[in-house]
Amino acid sequence: MEVLDPISRLIAPRLGFMLMLIVGVVLQGCGGGDESKKSDVVDSEASAAVYVPPGQHDEYYSFLSGGFNGQVSVYGLPSGRLLKVIPVFSQFAENGYGYNEESKPMLMTSHGFVPWDDLHHPKLSRTDGLADGKFLYVNGNNTPRVAKVDLATFETVEIMEIPNSAGNHCSPYPTNNNEYILAGTRFSVPLDLEKGGMGDASLEEYKDKFRGSISFIKTNEEDGHMELDFQVLVPGFDYDLANGGKGPSEDWVFFTTYNTEKSRTLKELGASQNDRDYLAAINWKLAAKYAAEGKAHEMPANYYHNIKDHGSHQAKSNVIKKVRYLLPEECPGMMYLIPAPKSPHGIDVDPTGEYMVVNGKLASSLPVFSFSKMQKAIENKDFDGEVNGIPVFKYESVLYGEVKEPGLGPLHTEFDDKGNGYSTMFVSSEVVKWNVKDLQVLDRIPVYYSPGHLMIPGGDTKEPNGKYLVVMNKITKDRYLPTGPELVHAAQLIDISGDKMRLLLDFPTLAEPHYAQAIAADKVAPNSVKFYKLGDNTHPDAVKKESDASVTRQGRTVKIKMTSIRSHFTPDNIEGVQVGDTVIFHVTNLEQDWDVPHGFAVMGANNSETLIMPGATQSLRWVPKQPGVYPFYCTDFCSALHQEMQGYVRVSPRGSNVPIKFSTGEKRPVPPAQASVN
C-alpha cells in the first residue's frame, strides 16, 4: 500500500483520515474473521454484477479514446471485455489501415502523410439531445483533425483537417441535433488573415498577434457528412474542453480557457497568475445566423478533407483553399466570458440545461453557474469590463453556488438521472458524488489512481442512465502484474444505482484514455453491417468472379486482380514480375458471409498485411528488391484449410524475358471408375 503514502500527504487532513480508515478496513479484512467473510460476500456480489455469461452480450458499448495511440478502443459494459480497436489517425498493421492503397488517403494533411495523432475525445452523434448510435466523432489533438466513425461498420469514414488551429483539444462537441460539430484550438498561434494559415511572428509578440479559433463543422443529417462552415477567431488563450447546453441552453456551447495571461513561456507559472480564467459562452445558433447574413470574412486556407467512398471502399482527398471566419467584436450577443477558477479543465452542463459546472484543477471548491442568471445578466448588462470586445460577466451575477470541499484537483463531472453530479478528483484520487440543487457532497469513493475523466452512459445528455460510472485512471502501480517501467492505464466500473457508490471492476485499457462515451447496445447492434454485398462493390479493380482474375503489365507496374475465397487465391501462381517492379495486388473477397474476412500478405513487403472484408476489395503495394520465388498467404483464419491458402510470385532479374503468366490449379485427368467389390 506504499503508493497511497505520497497521495495521503497531499490531501486535506479529513480526506487523509478517511483514506487511512479505508486502508485499515482492507488490512483488517486480510486478517480473517467476520470482516474477511464480509469482504468475500462483497467480492462475490461485485463479480455477479459484471458477469456476462458465455454467449450473452453486454448491455453497453463503450468507446474509450486511445490518446497517444491515435485509436478508439471498444469495450463491453459491464464485463470490461475488449471488443475491437478502431484505427482512426494511426496506421494499424492488424488490418492494413493506413498501409493499403484504399486507406492511405485518409491520413493525408497539408503537412503531407501523417500516420499518427493524439486522440482525446470521442463524442456520439445526437438526435433530440440523445445519443443516436449512428456516428462517433473524435479529435486529433496534434495535427488538428476531426474524424467520423460509422457505427454500422465501426470504421473511420471521414477525416477533416482543421485550419487556423494548433492542438485541436477542445473538440469535437455535437449540438443536440448534430447541426454542428464544434472544435476549439488548444494553442493560440499567429494567424495571417491575408495569406491564410499561420503567420511568422516573434514569440515576444504573443499578446498582440496570437489568436485562437473555434471551428463550426456542419453535418448532414442523413450520412453525417462534415463541412467546415465557418470559424470564430477568439482571444489568444488556450481552450481546453467544451460542452453544449440542453433545453433552455441548447443554443449555447461553453468552453473552458486557461492562460488568459497570454503567457508564452513557463506556462506552469505564467498561466497561473490571474485569480481566475474564463468560461467562454458562445451562442452557436446566433453565430450561424451571423455567418449566413454575410458577417463572415473570407481568408485563404489549405486543408485536407478525406472521405471514404461507401461503394468502392476507397478514400479520396479534397484540398480546400478558403475558409470563412467571424470576429466576436463584430457580432454582438454571440460571445461572453464568465470568470472561472484558474486553470479549469472540464465544463459540464447538467441534464436540465440550467447548471454549468466548471472543474478548476487548482480550486478548493467546485463552482456551479446558472444559465437563467446568465440570461438575466445579459439583459441587465451586468458586466465587469471586456476582452477583445467580448463582455465579461461579474462572477456573482452568474454563480448559482459552490460545492464546498469536494476534494483536491477536480477535473471532470457527469450526471445521473437523480439530480446528482459525479466529479473526479485527480490529486486526492477519488470520485465525489454531490447533489446539483443543494450542492452538498453525498458520497465519495477512492479510485486507483489519479483519475482524469469519468463517464456515465448518457451522462452528458439530457437523459443520463444512473446505473454505471466508468472512471479512467492515469496511474495503476500495484493494480496489475508488473510489465517493466511502463504500466497500463486502467478503467474502473462503479455501480451508482444506490445511495452509495460501489466499485465493481478494474480493467486495463489501451494507451491513455482521456474520455469515453457509452450507449445502450440495442441502439447500435441491430444496425451492424455483417458483410458488404459483392454486387454493390464499385471498386475499379474489383473482380467479382474467379474467371475475371488477371495479371497485366503497364510499364514498370504490374497489376494483379485476384480473388480470395475459402480456401484459395485466384491466381495463386504468378510469373513475369521483375526486380524493381511496382506490384499492386487488388484482392477482392468473394465471401458473402458474416465474419469471414481474408488477409493478404507477401514476403518482403515493407508495409503490412491487409485485411479484406467480405464483398470488399483492398490493394497492397509491393516492390520486390531481389530475384526469387516469394510466397503470399492469407493471414486471417478462415477454414480448416486456412494454412493451405497460399501462393507464389516468381520475381526474375530486371530485364528478363520471362512472360507474364498466372494460374490457379491444374487440369487433371478424371481417374477411372473403380470396380465394386462384393
Side-chain angles (χ1 to χ4, degrees), residues 283-342:
N283 186 322
W284 67 263
K285 192 167 281 188
L286 182 57
K289 183 172 182 288
Y290 276 131
E293 290 175 348
K295 279 277 191 180
H297 305 270
E298 190 171 283
M299 64 185 289
N302 181 40
Y303 64 96
Y304 274 67
H305 187 188
N306 309 318
I307 303 170
K308 180 180 177 182
D309 179 69
H310 178 73
S312 67
H313 305 279
Q314 290 179 302
K316 295 181 180 178
S317 298
N318 298 308
V319 181
I320 302 171
K321 292 293 186 179
K322 61 184 179 180
V323 63
R324 299 191 302 161
Y325 66 92
L326 295 172
L327 297 173
E329 56 267 35
E330 298 177 352
C331 302
M334 182 180 74
M335 184 173 180
Y336 299 90
L337 298 174
I338 300 172
K342 66 172 63 178

Side-chain angles (χ1 to χ4, degrees), residues 508-523:
T509 57
L510 298 180
E512 183 185 359
H514 291 262
Y515 184 52
Q517 293 268 269
I519 187 170
D522 59 14
K523 286 193 173 183

